Short mmCIF file of all heavy atoms in Angstrom, two decimals:
data_model
loop_
_atom_site.label_atom_id
_atom_site.label_comp_id
_atom_site.label_asym_id
_atom_site.label_seq_id
_atom_site.Cartn_x
_atom_site.Cartn_y
_atom_site.Cartn_z
N SER A 2 -15.86 -33.91 19.96
CA SER A 2 -15.64 -33.12 21.17
C SER A 2 -16.51 -31.89 21.13
O SER A 2 -16.81 -31.31 20.09
CB SER A 2 -14.15 -32.74 21.21
OG SER A 2 -13.85 -32.03 20.07
N ALA A 3 -16.94 -31.44 22.26
CA ALA A 3 -17.81 -30.26 22.38
C ALA A 3 -16.97 -29.13 22.87
O ALA A 3 -16.53 -29.08 23.98
CB ALA A 3 -18.97 -30.53 23.34
N LEU A 4 -16.74 -28.14 22.02
CA LEU A 4 -15.93 -27.00 22.43
C LEU A 4 -16.82 -25.91 22.94
O LEU A 4 -17.96 -25.81 22.54
CB LEU A 4 -15.13 -26.47 21.23
CG LEU A 4 -14.13 -27.47 20.61
CD1 LEU A 4 -13.64 -26.92 19.28
CD2 LEU A 4 -12.96 -27.69 21.56
N PRO A 5 -16.26 -25.06 23.82
CA PRO A 5 -17.08 -23.87 24.23
C PRO A 5 -17.41 -23.03 23.05
O PRO A 5 -16.64 -22.96 22.06
CB PRO A 5 -16.14 -23.15 25.24
CG PRO A 5 -14.98 -24.04 25.44
CD PRO A 5 -15.01 -25.15 24.48
N ALA A 6 -18.49 -22.30 23.14
CA ALA A 6 -18.94 -21.57 21.98
C ALA A 6 -17.96 -20.48 21.59
O ALA A 6 -17.94 -20.03 20.46
CB ALA A 6 -20.33 -20.93 22.26
N VAL A 7 -17.13 -20.03 22.53
CA VAL A 7 -16.25 -18.90 22.18
C VAL A 7 -15.15 -19.35 21.25
O VAL A 7 -14.55 -18.55 20.54
CB VAL A 7 -15.65 -18.32 23.51
CG1 VAL A 7 -14.73 -19.37 24.17
CG2 VAL A 7 -14.88 -17.06 23.26
N LEU A 8 -14.85 -20.67 21.24
CA LEU A 8 -13.80 -21.16 20.37
C LEU A 8 -14.41 -21.71 19.10
O LEU A 8 -14.87 -22.81 19.03
CB LEU A 8 -13.06 -22.36 21.05
CG LEU A 8 -12.06 -22.03 22.16
CD1 LEU A 8 -11.46 -23.32 22.64
CD2 LEU A 8 -10.95 -21.14 21.60
N HIS A 9 -14.46 -20.86 18.07
CA HIS A 9 -14.99 -21.33 16.79
C HIS A 9 -13.85 -21.58 15.88
O HIS A 9 -13.30 -20.68 15.27
CB HIS A 9 -15.92 -20.24 16.19
CG HIS A 9 -17.23 -20.18 16.93
ND1 HIS A 9 -18.10 -21.23 16.95
CD2 HIS A 9 -17.78 -19.17 17.64
CE1 HIS A 9 -19.17 -20.87 17.64
NE2 HIS A 9 -18.97 -19.65 18.10
N LEU A 10 -13.54 -22.83 15.74
CA LEU A 10 -12.43 -23.18 14.90
C LEU A 10 -12.93 -23.40 13.47
O LEU A 10 -14.10 -23.79 13.29
CB LEU A 10 -11.74 -24.48 15.38
CG LEU A 10 -10.98 -24.37 16.69
CD1 LEU A 10 -10.51 -25.76 17.07
CD2 LEU A 10 -9.82 -23.43 16.57
N PRO A 11 -12.07 -23.22 12.48
CA PRO A 11 -12.54 -23.60 11.11
C PRO A 11 -12.76 -25.11 11.09
O PRO A 11 -12.23 -25.84 11.84
CB PRO A 11 -11.33 -23.23 10.22
CG PRO A 11 -10.29 -22.70 11.11
CD PRO A 11 -10.81 -22.56 12.49
N ALA A 12 -13.61 -25.49 10.09
CA ALA A 12 -14.06 -26.87 10.07
C ALA A 12 -12.92 -27.88 9.96
O ALA A 12 -12.95 -28.95 10.51
CB ALA A 12 -15.06 -27.07 8.90
N ARG A 13 -11.87 -27.47 9.23
CA ARG A 13 -10.80 -28.48 9.08
C ARG A 13 -9.96 -28.66 10.29
O ARG A 13 -9.18 -29.60 10.35
CB ARG A 13 -9.95 -28.13 7.83
CG ARG A 13 -9.25 -26.85 8.03
CD ARG A 13 -8.54 -26.42 6.75
NE ARG A 13 -7.96 -25.09 6.91
CZ ARG A 13 -6.76 -24.89 7.43
NH1 ARG A 13 -6.02 -25.89 7.86
NH2 ARG A 13 -6.30 -23.68 7.58
N LEU A 14 -10.03 -27.76 11.24
CA LEU A 14 -9.23 -27.91 12.46
C LEU A 14 -10.02 -28.53 13.58
O LEU A 14 -9.45 -28.96 14.59
CB LEU A 14 -8.78 -26.52 12.95
CG LEU A 14 -7.71 -25.88 12.10
CD1 LEU A 14 -7.27 -24.55 12.76
CD2 LEU A 14 -6.48 -26.78 11.95
N GLN A 15 -11.34 -28.64 13.42
CA GLN A 15 -12.15 -29.23 14.48
C GLN A 15 -11.68 -30.61 14.91
O GLN A 15 -11.56 -30.88 16.11
CB GLN A 15 -13.57 -29.29 14.06
CG GLN A 15 -14.24 -27.97 13.91
CD GLN A 15 -15.24 -27.68 15.07
OE1 GLN A 15 -15.41 -28.60 15.89
NE2 GLN A 15 -15.77 -26.53 15.11
N PRO A 16 -11.35 -31.52 13.96
CA PRO A 16 -10.98 -32.86 14.42
C PRO A 16 -9.61 -32.84 15.16
O PRO A 16 -9.33 -33.83 15.86
CB PRO A 16 -10.90 -33.66 13.12
CG PRO A 16 -11.55 -32.88 12.09
CD PRO A 16 -11.48 -31.44 12.50
N ALA A 17 -8.84 -31.83 14.98
CA ALA A 17 -7.54 -31.85 15.60
C ALA A 17 -7.56 -31.51 17.08
O ALA A 17 -6.55 -31.63 17.78
CB ALA A 17 -6.59 -30.88 14.89
N VAL A 18 -8.71 -31.04 17.55
CA VAL A 18 -8.83 -30.66 18.95
C VAL A 18 -9.84 -31.56 19.61
O VAL A 18 -10.93 -31.73 19.12
CB VAL A 18 -9.31 -29.16 19.06
CG1 VAL A 18 -9.48 -28.82 20.48
CG2 VAL A 18 -8.29 -28.29 18.35
N TRP A 19 -9.48 -32.17 20.70
CA TRP A 19 -10.42 -32.99 21.44
C TRP A 19 -10.06 -32.96 22.89
O TRP A 19 -8.96 -32.63 23.32
CB TRP A 19 -10.38 -34.43 20.92
CG TRP A 19 -9.16 -35.21 21.31
CD1 TRP A 19 -9.06 -36.08 22.37
CD2 TRP A 19 -7.87 -35.18 20.71
NE1 TRP A 19 -7.81 -36.56 22.42
CE2 TRP A 19 -7.05 -36.08 21.40
CE3 TRP A 19 -7.32 -34.52 19.63
CZ2 TRP A 19 -5.75 -36.31 21.07
CZ3 TRP A 19 -6.02 -34.75 19.26
CH2 TRP A 19 -5.24 -35.67 20.01
N ARG A 20 -11.03 -33.29 23.68
CA ARG A 20 -10.80 -33.33 25.14
C ARG A 20 -10.15 -34.67 25.49
O ARG A 20 -10.47 -35.67 24.91
CB ARG A 20 -12.12 -33.22 25.87
CG ARG A 20 -12.65 -31.86 25.77
CD ARG A 20 -13.52 -31.53 26.98
NE ARG A 20 -13.80 -30.11 26.95
CZ ARG A 20 -14.97 -29.62 27.26
NH1 ARG A 20 -15.88 -30.43 27.70
NH2 ARG A 20 -15.19 -28.32 27.21
N GLY A 21 -9.33 -34.63 26.48
CA GLY A 21 -8.59 -35.83 26.85
C GLY A 21 -9.49 -36.99 27.30
O GLY A 21 -9.07 -38.15 27.17
N SER A 22 -10.70 -36.68 27.71
CA SER A 22 -11.51 -37.76 28.19
C SER A 22 -12.41 -38.36 27.13
O SER A 22 -13.08 -39.35 27.34
CB SER A 22 -12.43 -37.21 29.34
OG SER A 22 -13.13 -36.12 28.86
N GLU A 23 -12.44 -37.78 25.94
CA GLU A 23 -13.31 -38.28 24.93
C GLU A 23 -12.51 -38.74 23.73
O GLU A 23 -11.41 -38.19 23.47
CB GLU A 23 -14.26 -37.14 24.44
CG GLU A 23 -15.13 -36.61 25.53
CD GLU A 23 -15.82 -35.34 25.11
OE1 GLU A 23 -15.48 -34.85 23.96
OE2 GLU A 23 -16.57 -34.79 25.90
N VAL A 24 -13.07 -39.68 23.03
CA VAL A 24 -12.43 -40.11 21.80
C VAL A 24 -12.64 -39.04 20.74
O VAL A 24 -13.78 -38.56 20.52
CB VAL A 24 -13.04 -41.47 21.36
CG1 VAL A 24 -12.45 -41.89 20.02
CG2 VAL A 24 -12.82 -42.50 22.39
N GLY A 25 -11.60 -38.66 20.04
CA GLY A 25 -11.67 -37.60 19.06
C GLY A 25 -12.33 -38.04 17.76
O GLY A 25 -12.90 -39.12 17.67
N ALA A 26 -12.26 -37.13 16.79
CA ALA A 26 -12.81 -37.43 15.49
C ALA A 26 -11.70 -37.67 14.49
O ALA A 26 -10.56 -37.23 14.69
CB ALA A 26 -13.72 -36.26 15.05
N ALA A 27 -12.03 -38.29 13.39
CA ALA A 27 -11.02 -38.47 12.34
C ALA A 27 -10.98 -37.24 11.47
O ALA A 27 -11.97 -36.53 11.31
CB ALA A 27 -11.41 -39.71 11.49
N ALA A 28 -9.83 -37.00 10.86
CA ALA A 28 -9.69 -35.79 10.05
C ALA A 28 -10.44 -35.87 8.75
O ALA A 28 -10.80 -34.85 8.19
CB ALA A 28 -8.20 -35.55 9.79
N GLY A 29 -10.69 -37.06 8.28
CA GLY A 29 -11.35 -37.18 6.98
C GLY A 29 -12.40 -38.24 7.06
O GLY A 29 -13.05 -38.46 8.07
N ALA A 30 -12.56 -38.96 5.96
CA ALA A 30 -13.51 -40.06 5.94
C ALA A 30 -13.01 -41.26 6.76
O ALA A 30 -11.85 -41.31 7.09
CB ALA A 30 -13.81 -40.49 4.49
N VAL A 31 -13.89 -42.18 7.05
CA VAL A 31 -13.50 -43.40 7.74
C VAL A 31 -14.07 -44.61 7.00
O VAL A 31 -15.07 -44.44 6.26
CB VAL A 31 -13.98 -43.43 9.21
CG1 VAL A 31 -13.34 -42.37 10.00
CG2 VAL A 31 -15.49 -43.27 9.25
N ARG A 32 -13.48 -45.75 7.21
CA ARG A 32 -13.98 -46.97 6.69
C ARG A 32 -14.35 -47.86 7.88
O ARG A 32 -13.55 -48.07 8.74
CB ARG A 32 -12.98 -47.67 5.81
CG ARG A 32 -12.70 -46.93 4.55
CD ARG A 32 -11.73 -47.63 3.68
NE ARG A 32 -12.35 -48.71 2.93
CZ ARG A 32 -12.60 -48.67 1.62
NH1 ARG A 32 -12.24 -47.56 0.91
NH2 ARG A 32 -13.13 -49.66 0.98
N ARG A 33 -15.53 -48.39 7.82
CA ARG A 33 -15.99 -49.22 8.91
C ARG A 33 -15.11 -50.44 9.09
O ARG A 33 -14.71 -51.08 8.07
CB ARG A 33 -17.43 -49.73 8.64
CG ARG A 33 -18.41 -48.62 8.39
CD ARG A 33 -19.12 -48.22 9.64
NE ARG A 33 -19.65 -46.88 9.45
CZ ARG A 33 -19.28 -45.86 10.16
NH1 ARG A 33 -18.35 -45.94 11.07
NH2 ARG A 33 -19.81 -44.67 9.96
N SER A 34 -14.82 -50.79 10.31
CA SER A 34 -13.86 -51.88 10.56
C SER A 34 -14.57 -53.25 10.53
O SER A 34 -13.92 -54.23 10.40
CB SER A 34 -13.15 -51.71 11.88
OG SER A 34 -14.09 -51.84 12.90
N GLY A 35 -15.89 -53.23 10.66
CA GLY A 35 -16.60 -54.47 10.64
C GLY A 35 -17.04 -55.01 11.99
O GLY A 35 -17.78 -55.98 12.09
N TRP A 36 -16.53 -54.41 13.04
CA TRP A 36 -16.93 -54.74 14.40
C TRP A 36 -17.40 -53.47 15.09
O TRP A 36 -16.63 -52.48 15.15
CB TRP A 36 -15.80 -55.33 15.19
CG TRP A 36 -15.37 -56.69 14.73
CD1 TRP A 36 -15.94 -57.88 15.03
CD2 TRP A 36 -14.30 -56.93 13.84
NE1 TRP A 36 -15.25 -58.91 14.41
CE2 TRP A 36 -14.21 -58.33 13.71
CE3 TRP A 36 -13.31 -56.17 13.24
CZ2 TRP A 36 -13.28 -58.94 12.89
CZ3 TRP A 36 -12.37 -56.76 12.47
CH2 TRP A 36 -12.36 -58.15 12.30
N ALA A 37 -18.59 -53.48 15.67
CA ALA A 37 -19.09 -52.28 16.33
C ALA A 37 -18.22 -51.95 17.54
O ALA A 37 -18.00 -50.77 17.86
CB ALA A 37 -20.55 -52.50 16.74
N ALA A 38 -17.72 -52.98 18.22
CA ALA A 38 -16.90 -52.70 19.42
C ALA A 38 -15.62 -51.96 19.02
O ALA A 38 -15.19 -51.08 19.73
CB ALA A 38 -16.60 -54.03 20.12
N LEU A 39 -15.04 -52.34 17.90
CA LEU A 39 -13.81 -51.72 17.49
C LEU A 39 -14.10 -50.30 16.97
O LEU A 39 -13.34 -49.39 17.22
CB LEU A 39 -13.10 -52.56 16.42
CG LEU A 39 -11.76 -52.05 15.94
CD1 LEU A 39 -10.80 -51.93 17.11
CD2 LEU A 39 -11.20 -52.95 14.85
N ASP A 40 -15.21 -50.17 16.23
CA ASP A 40 -15.52 -48.82 15.71
C ASP A 40 -15.72 -47.84 16.90
O ASP A 40 -15.43 -46.67 16.76
CB ASP A 40 -16.84 -48.88 14.92
CG ASP A 40 -16.59 -49.41 13.51
OD1 ASP A 40 -15.40 -49.40 13.11
OD2 ASP A 40 -17.54 -49.83 12.82
N ALA A 41 -16.27 -48.33 18.00
CA ALA A 41 -16.48 -47.43 19.12
C ALA A 41 -15.19 -46.93 19.69
O ALA A 41 -15.10 -45.85 20.27
CB ALA A 41 -17.30 -48.15 20.19
N GLU A 42 -14.14 -47.71 19.55
CA GLU A 42 -12.85 -47.31 20.16
C GLU A 42 -11.95 -46.49 19.19
O GLU A 42 -10.99 -45.87 19.60
CB GLU A 42 -12.04 -48.54 20.61
CG GLU A 42 -12.77 -49.36 21.63
CD GLU A 42 -12.86 -48.68 22.94
OE1 GLU A 42 -12.12 -47.73 23.20
OE2 GLU A 42 -13.76 -49.03 23.76
N LEU A 43 -12.30 -46.53 17.89
CA LEU A 43 -11.45 -45.80 16.93
C LEU A 43 -11.95 -44.38 16.77
O LEU A 43 -13.21 -44.17 16.68
CB LEU A 43 -11.45 -46.49 15.59
CG LEU A 43 -10.83 -47.87 15.52
CD1 LEU A 43 -11.01 -48.49 14.15
CD2 LEU A 43 -9.38 -47.84 15.90
N PRO A 44 -11.10 -43.37 16.70
CA PRO A 44 -11.57 -42.01 16.47
C PRO A 44 -12.30 -41.93 15.17
O PRO A 44 -11.80 -42.39 14.13
CB PRO A 44 -10.27 -41.20 16.45
CG PRO A 44 -9.24 -42.02 16.99
CD PRO A 44 -9.63 -43.45 16.84
N GLY A 45 -13.51 -41.32 15.18
CA GLY A 45 -14.24 -41.19 13.95
C GLY A 45 -15.12 -42.40 13.64
O GLY A 45 -15.91 -42.35 12.71
N GLY A 46 -14.97 -43.49 14.40
CA GLY A 46 -15.84 -44.62 14.20
C GLY A 46 -15.36 -45.54 13.07
O GLY A 46 -16.20 -46.19 12.47
N GLY A 47 -14.07 -45.64 12.82
CA GLY A 47 -13.62 -46.54 11.81
C GLY A 47 -12.17 -46.23 11.51
O GLY A 47 -11.54 -45.38 12.15
N TRP A 48 -11.59 -47.05 10.55
CA TRP A 48 -10.24 -46.76 10.14
C TRP A 48 -10.18 -45.42 9.40
O TRP A 48 -10.87 -45.25 8.44
CB TRP A 48 -9.73 -47.87 9.23
CG TRP A 48 -9.73 -49.23 9.82
CD1 TRP A 48 -10.55 -50.21 9.53
CD2 TRP A 48 -8.81 -49.74 10.81
NE1 TRP A 48 -10.25 -51.37 10.28
CE2 TRP A 48 -9.16 -51.09 11.04
CE3 TRP A 48 -7.73 -49.21 11.48
CZ2 TRP A 48 -8.48 -51.88 11.97
CZ3 TRP A 48 -7.05 -50.05 12.39
CH2 TRP A 48 -7.44 -51.33 12.62
N PRO A 49 -9.33 -44.49 9.80
CA PRO A 49 -9.29 -43.17 9.13
C PRO A 49 -8.62 -43.23 7.77
O PRO A 49 -7.61 -43.91 7.60
CB PRO A 49 -8.50 -42.32 10.10
CG PRO A 49 -7.65 -43.23 10.86
CD PRO A 49 -8.39 -44.55 10.93
N VAL A 50 -9.19 -42.52 6.84
CA VAL A 50 -8.63 -42.46 5.49
C VAL A 50 -7.81 -41.19 5.43
O VAL A 50 -8.22 -40.15 5.93
CB VAL A 50 -9.79 -42.40 4.49
CG1 VAL A 50 -9.28 -42.05 3.11
CG2 VAL A 50 -10.49 -43.74 4.44
N GLY A 51 -6.65 -41.28 4.82
CA GLY A 51 -5.86 -40.09 4.65
C GLY A 51 -4.81 -39.93 5.78
O GLY A 51 -4.15 -38.89 5.86
N GLU A 52 -4.64 -40.93 6.63
CA GLU A 52 -3.65 -40.86 7.67
C GLU A 52 -2.92 -42.17 7.73
O GLU A 52 -3.42 -43.19 7.25
CB GLU A 52 -4.32 -40.66 9.06
CG GLU A 52 -5.08 -39.39 9.15
CD GLU A 52 -5.79 -39.29 10.49
OE1 GLU A 52 -5.76 -40.22 11.26
OE2 GLU A 52 -6.37 -38.22 10.72
N LEU A 53 -1.71 -42.19 8.30
CA LEU A 53 -0.97 -43.42 8.48
C LEU A 53 -1.53 -44.17 9.66
O LEU A 53 -1.65 -43.58 10.75
CB LEU A 53 0.51 -43.04 8.71
CG LEU A 53 1.43 -44.23 9.05
CD1 LEU A 53 1.53 -45.14 7.83
CD2 LEU A 53 2.80 -43.71 9.41
N VAL A 54 -1.94 -45.42 9.44
CA VAL A 54 -2.44 -46.25 10.54
C VAL A 54 -1.46 -47.39 10.70
O VAL A 54 -1.15 -48.09 9.67
CB VAL A 54 -3.84 -46.76 10.19
CG1 VAL A 54 -4.33 -47.66 11.29
CG2 VAL A 54 -4.80 -45.63 9.97
N GLU A 55 -1.01 -47.62 11.89
CA GLU A 55 -0.11 -48.77 12.10
C GLU A 55 -0.83 -49.88 12.80
O GLU A 55 -1.59 -49.67 13.74
CB GLU A 55 1.05 -48.34 12.98
CG GLU A 55 2.13 -47.54 12.28
CD GLU A 55 3.36 -47.42 13.07
OE1 GLU A 55 3.47 -48.06 14.15
OE2 GLU A 55 4.26 -46.63 12.70
N VAL A 56 -0.61 -51.10 12.26
CA VAL A 56 -1.18 -52.29 12.90
C VAL A 56 -0.01 -53.17 13.31
O VAL A 56 0.82 -53.53 12.47
CB VAL A 56 -2.08 -53.08 11.92
CG1 VAL A 56 -2.62 -54.31 12.55
CG2 VAL A 56 -3.24 -52.19 11.44
N LEU A 57 0.08 -53.49 14.59
CA LEU A 57 1.22 -54.24 15.11
C LEU A 57 0.77 -55.66 15.40
O LEU A 57 -0.25 -55.85 16.07
CB LEU A 57 1.70 -53.59 16.40
CG LEU A 57 1.98 -52.09 16.26
CD1 LEU A 57 2.15 -51.50 17.64
CD2 LEU A 57 3.24 -51.86 15.50
N CYS A 58 1.48 -56.64 14.84
CA CYS A 58 1.14 -58.04 15.06
C CYS A 58 2.37 -58.76 15.63
O CYS A 58 3.47 -58.34 15.26
CB CYS A 58 0.73 -58.75 13.77
SG CYS A 58 0.07 -57.67 12.53
N PRO A 59 2.16 -59.77 16.40
CA PRO A 59 3.38 -60.46 16.89
C PRO A 59 4.14 -61.12 15.78
O PRO A 59 5.36 -61.19 15.84
CB PRO A 59 2.79 -61.55 17.84
CG PRO A 59 1.30 -61.45 17.75
CD PRO A 59 0.93 -60.26 16.96
#
Side-chain angles (χ1 to χ4, degrees):
Chain A
S2 57
L4 297 169
V7 66
L8 282 181
H9 286 298
L10 291 174
R13 62 186 174 87
L14 290 183
Q15 290 255 356
V18 178
W19 74 95
R20 289 208 171 141
S22 55
E23 299 166 359
V24 176
V31 293
R32 291 183 82 106
R33 303 267 160 245
S34 67
W36 291 277
L39 183 59
D40 280 343
E42 300 291 341
L43 295 177
W48 299 107
V50 169
E52 298 177 354
L53 174 66
V54 178
E55 280 193 10
V56 179
L57 308 166
C58 334

